[in-house]
Amino acid sequence: MDLPLTVPDLADATELSCDVLVIGGGTAGTMAALTAAERGANVLLLEKAHVRHSGALAMGMDGVNNAVVPGRAEPDDYVAEITRANDGLVDQSTVRQTATRGFGMVQRLESYGVKFEKDEHGEYAVRQVHRSGAYVLPMPEGKDVKKVLYRQLRRREMRERIRIENRVMPVRVLTHPEDGRAVGAAAFHTRTGAFVVVRAGAVVLATGPCGRLGLPASGYLYGTYENPTNAGDGYAMAYHAGAALTGIECFQINPLIKDYNGPACAYVANPFGGYQVNRHGERFVESDYWSGQMMAEFAAELASDRAPVYLKLSHLPEETVDAVESILHTTERPTRGTFHEGRGHDYRTHDIEMHISEIGLCGRHSASGVRVDSHARTTVPRLYAAGDLASVPHNYMIGAFVFGDLAGADASQYSAYEGALDPAQLAAAHELVYRPLRNPEGPPQPQVEFKLRRFVNDYVAPPKTGAKLSLAVEAFDRMSAEIAGMGARTAHELMRCAEVSFIRDCAEMAARASLARTESRWGLYHERLDHPERDDEGWLHHLDLRKSPSGAMEFTARPVEPYLVPVPGFAPPGGAERHLGEVELVPVATAGPREAPPAARPRADADPAPAASAVGACAVGAAEPAAPHPRLLALLSLVEDSPDLDALGPYLDDPDPAVRAAAVTALGETAPTGTGPVLAARLRDDAPPVRAAAAAALRELVEVLPAGPDLGAGLREALAVPDAAVRSAALEVLRALRLGDAALYGGALADPAVDVRAQAVRALVSVDAVAELRRAAGDPAREVRVAVARGLAAVRDPAPEPLRPLLDDADPLVRGAALAALAGTGCPPEYAGRAGSALADPAWQVRSGAATALRAAAAGQAVPALAKALADVNADVRKAAVLSLLVHRTDAGARTALAGASDDPDADVRAYAARAAR
């Protein structure tokens, strides 16, 4: 029985030592331990559950998907098949290890006692499931594989070399503080809660996939396609140890039985004559391999009127159904028969309804994982990764065994680490484990995990968009605090809380990696609606992520290594790695462009409220809003008598900022002589509400304030105030009162605030400072560049040439504004040609600007182009074309075009076209 715990002292940690530390006792971990021990290493195998029944194998296994048996398949064919299935993004050297070593592993497993199906002549009964290549080798007693492996681990000669610690959960890989190599791990006992520190010569991560990432359609936390204990432990540990992960944007999504967390196993049924169909009984899968493209076809069928989708078995003869049942109800999932029985379904009378699993991270059926080379080495020295955790695409069970073997062999060369361990790393791991004990009343793990994984489903599951993925990143950032606040009382609950932190790390990796890859690839696995095309030229690269020294998640585009086996249709471009840095989030704070300042910021263009309301608003910030400050009441009374500056002076200098703000508002209401300089001085007040009130009053009174030198001096001084709203207001008033010059306004172009720089552009236009405006055409903010484009058309002597760089701007809104500006600067033949070409731009704003530009061009060049623009799909483009044609209506072609526009479906277009008749 779990008992309440207290936080153990870090100094009381249990210390263990080994040559090779293997984390995870599943498929790859078991093999890594066996191989390392066979090579003479002292091995410590840590498993957070119990090795006897841990990992995916313990859930059942009916066969291997990638047995390259001599005489039935060739390694090169298999490598090519996996390359095609993964859209060319493959390190073939790793896949080739599975292809060439897989058959030897089958024989090794057979020597342990694992049974593979053979024909009457003793040959392996390899089945062809996919349209090319025969790689599936059934395992009649697959349910017993883990039992066989455990028996091998417990052999006398292995027990002398392999120490198994069950119920011990690592949370961090420990690294050397100087060279970064792996030197051990920090862990805790999931029953006693004791903290455990391990020193090791090398560390093998074999913790399986992150199956508990998305939330199953059933809503059950542990009703996942993968083993629900696989919470992304190894992904998080590798990341925090500094290792590179790759392909994290390539999700695992599988077809499964509707409402049952197990595969429908079409690959088992296919050799018996079963197949996937829609409700009309039509076979619909075009893809030639289990891949994201197949899942895209599957998802499309589910979303159509041809759904549901089924695994069809009802047409098979009785003896075939019996054979399929014996595999699917015993070897693959023992609970499967019970599930169907509960629904009253029988394969003879009911086909199996299929659906799509939740998303996960896994190398077995997709490509995501810790980056490894052909010896299972990660980018961190002496740290290895194998199995579903490693980024070897479509690696399956045989691949897990092969890379476990490779990792164990390479790691066995190192002996136990005897140096000092980094105390900061140990303290951080200790805090990660035990912080829930300090907050026992905090939110329980199931609630926090459900919320976290619901966000994964809402924002990360495909089809993906930049906006949804950005919302996901924001949600996961917020949830860091919630996860830190989770409560626990027992060691088991500590384990679950630690798993939630791993899931959160994986969720953030998945979201950020999906944002970074700006294309669609792998079918449903990475379908970006905002980047729907596959881009081999720009993105036939691995996307690696790692933790930067500053703690940020950064990305690198790594070229695909030259193929060992050529594959038609794919040509890795080679070249150098591209460091991408941190991914840029899509703005998601507002729906569409933000037309006004944020609500938290004072509206500079708002009308000031009446004096009484203004005073009340300021009083809200006072300490006692229910009992107004007596000075405010006195000021309110004074305003009724239209006081002069002397009367308002004591209130303007009051120590209470609420009183000063109210006095400034009153000053704007009454505007006695000398108001301008006083308001300008209050722009430098220490209190933001006072500065906001002064800015609003100056804007309101700008038409009546005398443009004296004192006011000008005060406004210039305000340009140095840290408050951007103040600087913007000062520039606006300086411009309106003609109190500035080109040098002053040009200096403001270097202001860090976009609003201030935009005001500076307007001010420069007021003094016809074309040279300074041209300098501002390179401003990083689109809003400023748009203002420059419009401003260049508004100076006294406009010319088209200064618009040239803006016509080539990368932003369509800037190009559109620059084109529209040509209507004011003039549009000589060269620019008219550019405008005509721009009528084919993908962005309607650019096409509209181009149509506007042509009103200033010669009719012979403009009218034919504008006539074609009347067929544009966008009504605003057609409207701009009509307005430009009206300028050219003396031209016969323009009149003909306008007459044709009189029946346009848009009322505005029709109305403007009708003007040609008047």
Side-chain angles (χ1 to χ4, degrees):
M1 177 179 177
D2 289 324
L3 298 174
L5 298 176
T6 57
V7 178
D9 195 295
L10 179 56
D12 295 332
T14 300
E15 291 205 16
L16 303 174
S17 179
C18 61
D19 297 331
V20 177
L21 170 62
V22 178
I23 299 177
T27 310
T30 300
M31 188 58 65
L34 289 169
T35 297
E38 288 171 357
R39 292 180 175 241
N42 290 318
V43 178
L44 174 61
L45 176 57
L46 299 185
E47 167 58 51
K48 68 181 179 181
H50 195 290
V51 174
R52 174 67 177 79
H53 48 250
S54 62
L57 277 179
M59 298 178 69
M61 187 65 61
D62 50 55
V64 295
N65 296 356
N66 53 349
V68 183
V69 176
R72 298 300 306 274
E74 294 297 325
D76 283 3
D77 292 339
Y78 176 77
V79 172
E81 191 74 23
I82 297 303
T83 303
R84 284 189 291 268
N86 210 50
D87 282 354
L89 251 178
V90 167
D91 180 352
Q92 286 191 347
S93 68
T94 62
V95 176
R96 189 170 176 79
Q97 289 282 48
T98 299
T100 57
R101 292 171 175 264
F103 181 61
M105 184 56 65
V106 166
Q107 293 177 311
R108 179 175 176 179
L109 292 170
E110 195 171 36
S111 74
Y112 290 167
V114 177
K115 294 181 177 62
F116 297 95
E117 186 173 336
K118 296 183 178 180
D119 63 18
E120 294 80 357
H121 304 287
E123 301 293 334
Y124 293 103
V126 181
R127 307 284 178 84
Q128 181 167 345
V129 173
H130 307 288
R131 297 190 183 105
S132 61
Y135 309 115
V136 174
L137 180 57
M139 300 164 63
E141 303 297 331
K143 65 182 184 299
D144 294 329
V145 174
K146 197 65 198 292
K147 183 194 302 182
V148 172
L149 290 171
Y150 187 67
R151 185 172 62 234
Q152 191 71 15
L153 282 171
R154 304 313 294 156
R155 285 170 45 220
R156 181 186 299 275
E157 56 269 36
M158 288 294 102
R159 287 204 307 269
E160 294 174 353
R161 288 287 185 181
I162 301 173
R163 174 176 176 175
I164 299 174
E165 289 290 340
N166 292 307
R167 312 295 183 191
V168 175
M169 178 183 184
V171 296
R172 287 290 185 265
V173 171
L174 300 176
T175 58
H176 195 283
E178 294 179 2
D179 59 22
R181 72 182 187 272
V183 295
F188 72 103
H189 198 286
T190 63
R191 288 297 180 266
T192 68
F195 196 59
V196 179
V197 176
V198 181
R199 299 170 183 272
V203 179
V204 179
L205 289 173
T207 57
C210 183
R212 222 162 80 220
L213 183 63
L215 193 66
S218 65
Y220 296 125
L221 289 180
Y222 306 111
T224 54
Y225 179 92
E226 292 291 347
N227 188 325
T229 64
N230 293 330
D233 308 34
Y235 289 79
M237 284 190 280
Y239 172 73
H240 289 292
L245 292 92
T246 193
I248 303 301
E249 70 280 18
C250 180
F251 299 162
Q252 173 177 275
I253 306 170
N254 294 295
L256 78 167
I257 300 174
K258 183 76 166 64
D259 299 330
Y260 176 78
N261 63 323
C265 293
Y267 61 89
V268 172
N270 284 359
F272 290 93
Y275 45 82
Q276 296 171 92
V277 296
N278 58 29
R279 69 183 178 90
H280 302 299
E282 301 163 339
R283 283 184 281 214
F284 60 88
V285 175
E286 299 289 340
S287 179
D288 198 32
Y289 200 83
W290 189 325
S291 63
Q293 182 56 43
M294 185 194 78
M295 291 309 304
E297 296 169 7
F298 198 100
E301 204 74 8
L302 280 178
S304 74
D305 65 350
R306 300 178 298 278
V309 168
Y310 298 89
L311 173 62
K312 187 169 184 61
L313 299 173
S314 58
H315 65 294
L316 298 176
E318 174 65 26
E319 61 275 18
T320 304
V321 173
D322 279 342
V324 172
E325 276 184 341
S326 69
I327 297 174
L328 297 185
H329 293 183
T330 56
T331 301
E332 176 59 40
R333 287 287 196 277
T335 60
R336 184 176 183 140
T338 305
F339 171 79
H340 291 308
E341 183 181 352
R343 296 201 166 193
H345 291 175
D346 186 292
Y347 294 165
R348 298 154 187 81
T349 57
H350 289 76
D351 293 322
I352 304 168
E353 186 181 355
M354 300 175 67
H355 205 65
I356 286 180
S357 75
E358 67 285 345
I359 66 171
L361 301 178
C362 184
R364 188 191 331 148
H365 287 146
S366 62
S368 55
V370 180
R371 175 182 165 185
V372 295
D373 65 10
S374 57
H375 294 280
R377 305 176 187 125
T378 74
T379 58
V380 170
R382 303 194 187 187
L383 180 65
Y384 300 80
D388 291 347
L389 171 71
S391 60
V392 184
H394 302 269
N395 207 25
Y396 306 114
M397 186 183 77
I398 286 296
F401 279 130
V402 165
F403 273 81
D405 176 53
L406 290 167
D410 205 73
S412 66
Q413 64 184 294
Y414 301 110
S415 57
Y417 175 69
E418 297 179 355
L421 297 173
D422 187 348
Q425 294 181 36
L426 290 173
H430 188 272
E431 174 63 17
L432 171 65
V433 172
Y434 298 110
R435 66 190 176 192
L437 293 180
R438 299 190 180 96
N439 187 33
E441 301 300 327
Q445 163 263 332
Q447 292 182 11
V448 178
E449 182 177 337
F450 183 92
K451 180 178 180 181
L452 170 64
R453 292 168 63 190
R454 182 177 60 80
F455 282 136
V456 171
N457 280 20
D458 289 346
Y459 297 134
V460 185
K464 311 172 187 178
T465 69
K468 289 199 299 181
L469 293 166
S470 298
L471 285 169
V473 172
E474 291 185 358
F476 303 147
D477 283 344
R478 287 196 310 271
M479 289 209 68
S480 294
E482 296 181 46
I483 290 170
M486 283 187 298
R489 290 183 171 84
T490 68
H492 181 80
E493 290 173 348
L494 288 179
M495 177 183 70
R496 293 302 188 206
C497 288
E499 287 178 337
V500 176
S501 74
F502 299 150
I503 296 169
R504 196 220 70 85
D505 287 343
C506 290
E508 181 181 356
M509 291 184 217
R512 288 187 183 273
S514 295
L515 265 173
R517 183 174 287 279
T518 52
E519 63 156 358
S520 288
R521 189 174 289 270
W522 307 296
L524 187 64
Y525 296 166
H526 181 66
E527 179 186 359
R528 282 284 298 263
L529 296 178
D530 46 354
H531 296 283
E533 301 300 323
R534 194 178 83 190
D535 177 14
D536 280 352
E537 182 176 349
W539 274 113
L540 191 55
H541 289 72
H542 302 283
L543 181 65
D544 293 352
L545 71 85
R546 71 184 73 214
K547 187 177 184 179
S548 72
S550 67
M553 193 176 293
E554 62 180 14
F555 292 86
T556 301
R558 175 170 52 93
V560 173
E561 291 293 325
Y563 287 160
L564 303 173
V565 179
V567 179
F570 297 102
E577 293 186 357
R578 300 198 313 268
H579 180 69
L580 306 178
E582 297 180 46
V583 69
E584 183 177 352
L585 302 186
V586 172
V588 290
T590 60
R594 185 172 59 194
E595 302 294 343
R601 186 174 159 185
R603 284 183 57 93
D605 57 352
D607 292 333
S613 298
V615 171
C618 292
V620 170
E624 295 291 339
H629 196 296
R631 295 279 289 167
L632 293 175
L633 293 176
L635 177 61
L636 181 61
S637 177
L638 182 64
V639 169
E640 297 299 321
D641 297 329
S642 299
D644 58 18
L645 281 179
D646 289 339
L648 289 173
Y651 298 95
L652 290 166
D653 295 327
D654 195 278
D656 189 333
V659 175
R660 297 200 305 277
V664 168
T665 300
L667 186 62
E669 179 73 12
T670 56
T673 302
T675 291
V678 174
L679 289 175
R682 286 301 155 195
L683 289 175
R684 304 191 300 278
D685 195 280
D686 291 338
V690 180
R691 299 196 300 269
L698 281 166
R699 282 190 166 109
E700 181 190 12
L701 300 174
V702 70
E703 299 296 334
V704 299
L705 292 176
D710 290 344
L711 175 56
L715 293 171
R716 287 171 182 262
E717 290 181 28
L719 292 177
V721 172
D723 189 332
V726 166
R727 302 196 301 275
S728 179
L731 278 172
E732 183 178 343
V733 177
L734 283 166
R735 172 186 58 78
L737 295 179
R738 302 283 175 176
L739 291 173
D741 54 25
L744 176 69
Y745 301 146
L749 290 174
D751 196 279
V754 173
D755 289 348
V756 177
R757 301 201 301 274
Q759 281 290 352
V761 168
R762 293 191 64 199
L764 288 167
V765 173
S766 73
V767 294
D768 299 311
V770 174
E772 286 78 6
L773 287 171
R774 295 182 71 165
R775 178 160 57 90
D779 193 277
R782 177 177 69 192
E783 301 93 319
V784 177
R785 302 199 302 278
V786 168
V788 170
R790 294 169 178 166
L792 287 170
V795 296
R796 285 194 180 91
D797 188 17
E801 196 276 331
L803 289 167
R804 188 181 296 273
L806 296 168
L807 292 170
D808 296 321
D809 197 278
D811 192 290
L813 295 186
V814 177
R815 297 201 305 278
L819 285 162
L822 290 171
T825 65
C827 191
E830 176 193 352
Y831 291 88
R834 296 190 64 167
S837 299
L839 287 171
D841 194 278
W844 72 266
Q845 296 93 334
V846 175
R847 303 199 302 276
S848 178
T852 300
L854 291 172
R855 73 181 59 175
Q861 196 171 5
V863 170
L866 290 168
K868 292 181 180 178
L870 291 177
D872 197 280
V873 295
N874 186 280
D876 282 341
V877 177
R878 301 198 302 275
K879 177 180 175 180
V882 165
L883 290 172
S884 292
L885 284 167
L886 285 171
V887 175
H888 299 292
R889 59 180 174 268
T890 56
D891 182 273
R895 292 195 298 274
T896 300
L898 287 166
S902 61
D903 61 352
D904 191 277
D906 183 78
D908 262 8
V909 175
R910 295 197 305 270
Y912 283 116
R915 291 186 179 184
R918 296 199 296 271

